[in-house]
Amino acid sequence: MTANPAMTIEQVEVRCDALVGAAAGSLAGDARAIGDELLAMGEAVLEAWLWSKGREPTDNQTEGFRLLALHRQAAKGDPSFNACRETCREIVYHRNLIHFDEKLGDADRTARMGAMVVLHLALFVGGKLRESGLGEFCCSSRGIREGARVAQERATSMTQEI
Amino acid sequence: MTGKHKNVAYYPGCALEGTGHAYNRSTKAVGKELGLGLVELKNWNCCGAMEVKNVDPKLQTYLSARNLAIAEEMGFDTVMAPCNGCYHNLKKAEYDLANDQPSREVTERLSSKAGHKTYEPGKVETIHALDWIKDSIGEEGLAMRVKNSLKGIKVANYYGCMYTRPRHIFPEKDKGPGSESTSKPHFMDDLLAAAGAENVDYPLKTACCGGAHALSDSDTSTKLVLNLLTTAEACGADVIATECPTCHSGLEMHQVRAEKVLGRKTSVKILYFTQLLGMAMGLSPKAVGVHENFSDSMPLIKEKGLA
């Protein structure tokens, strides 16, 4: 297991934007590969989160998908991570829709929609990573925390002055 | 539909007195139109929202428990909270008081200090506005009252992240047919479909809106909201229906901000589900507070014959 995921979160965002913005109908031909890519990108996002926390991403699978196992691992001890639980399940769902659509009749739209779901996961986790130094992303109270820190610094400063 | 929630205590919460006033207005208007009794809690306080919970979760439990104690004192066994944050916090308090001794001790101590009875878990059931209408009137009852069908309006139902999470504080959900699902919530879909709306399959219905960071980290929130909006549009939605004032305000504000800061314009409209239901029952846009929304949905409302 490498500490460097196959893609960074920023690269995932760029790739998702490209898929969403691709010309109409152009994704159908490669839809099955794109379906697998959606899963891989989701995994890369969660791997980045786990490595940032000093935890080795699991290779296990939940319900047949590593992405779901990674989500479960990431959410352990971090309830706010459950805010992306269904997002991960939707990625799996879109990948499955493509794979079980034998004629790929709706594959272009499904792949595009799947990319939007992966983008949401990337934005959510990317935001959490940026904010992790300030506390929980969900329900965070940066103002209060900063206020408390500033108040403490002022109190210390005043005590020293006195 | 059980008819069991026809008369309930009403806990609007802080947001519905401010940015979510349209939700307050439309909830009351819909309740009145449906003949449902809503009695606002006397002297209610903040549920502990996000800030208190982050600093001291047990204090949040007490704050929510005090509201439940007031409901009990007023003779109600059910309190309805339309805001996802309030609904979540009251449910969490109920769970913590039933399962966490330190939470019970803190609530007991603070209740005694404040001079009111300590809330005992199990006395008052907390429900959401969706449960309230679904259980008391149901889809059939609602369909019978529709005067202006929402037919032709494609709706993406957006539930946000707190309505179903964490699963363990919602023991009544995931109980099979008729109950709400935590993985695929559908109560709002059911009610709006009964009013004639065409629900689209929206894959981000429980995804994060970045609401907690609407002010402190606007860029992340704007990108998250923009993705919610563009995905809804890609699903073919004319409207995103909301059932949480934080989500609603975030969607409206960041829709504008996405255009200003990122140059990304989206045209999907954002309305509370109670506003859509109210207009379907023949109430005017003003009666359900459309004029209090940040975004302008009137062109669509007129085009669809709801005004």
Side-chain angles (χ1 to χ4, degrees), chain A residues 49-89:
Chain A
W49 170 259
L50 286 162
W51 283 121
S52 79
K53 299 292 172 192
R55 296 158 68 187
E56 186 168 337
T58 182
D59 278 330
N60 292 340
Q61 296 184 341
T62 296
E63 297 174 49
F65 293 93
R66 181 167 176 252
L67 178 65
L68 300 183
L70 286 168
H71 174 264
R72 188 168 287 185
Q73 183 187 14
K76 204 163 192 176
D78 187 355
S80 74
F81 215 84
N82 276 318
C84 67
R85 185 181 66 208
E86 272 68 43
T87 310
C88 291
R89 300 192 81 86

Side-chain angles (χ1 to χ4, degrees), chain B residues 37-108:
Chain B
L38 270 186
V39 180
E40 188 165 326
L41 290 182
K42 292 174 187 165
N43 192 27
W44 56 264
N45 54 262
C46 168
C47 67
M50 302 174 186
E51 295 77 8
V52 177
K53 190 159 63 181
N54 201 35
V55 174
D56 186 346
K58 290 181 179 57
L59 178 57
Q60 179 269 308
T61 300
Y62 162 70
L63 288 169
S64 286
R66 181 179 176 273
N67 292 315
L68 294 168
I70 293 170
E72 186 190 356
E73 199 175 297
M74 289 170 67
F76 287 96
D77 61 6
T78 307
V79 62
M80 187 274 278
C83 164
N84 276 1
C86 299
Y87 170 65
H88 169 103
N89 280 346
L90 266 58
K91 290 293 230 186
K92 182 181 170 296
E94 182 75 34
Y95 180 86
D96 286 348
L97 291 174
N99 296 283
D100 182 49
Q101 181 60 26
S103 290
R104 273 200 296 272
E105 287 167 8
V106 169
T107 296
E108 204 169 316

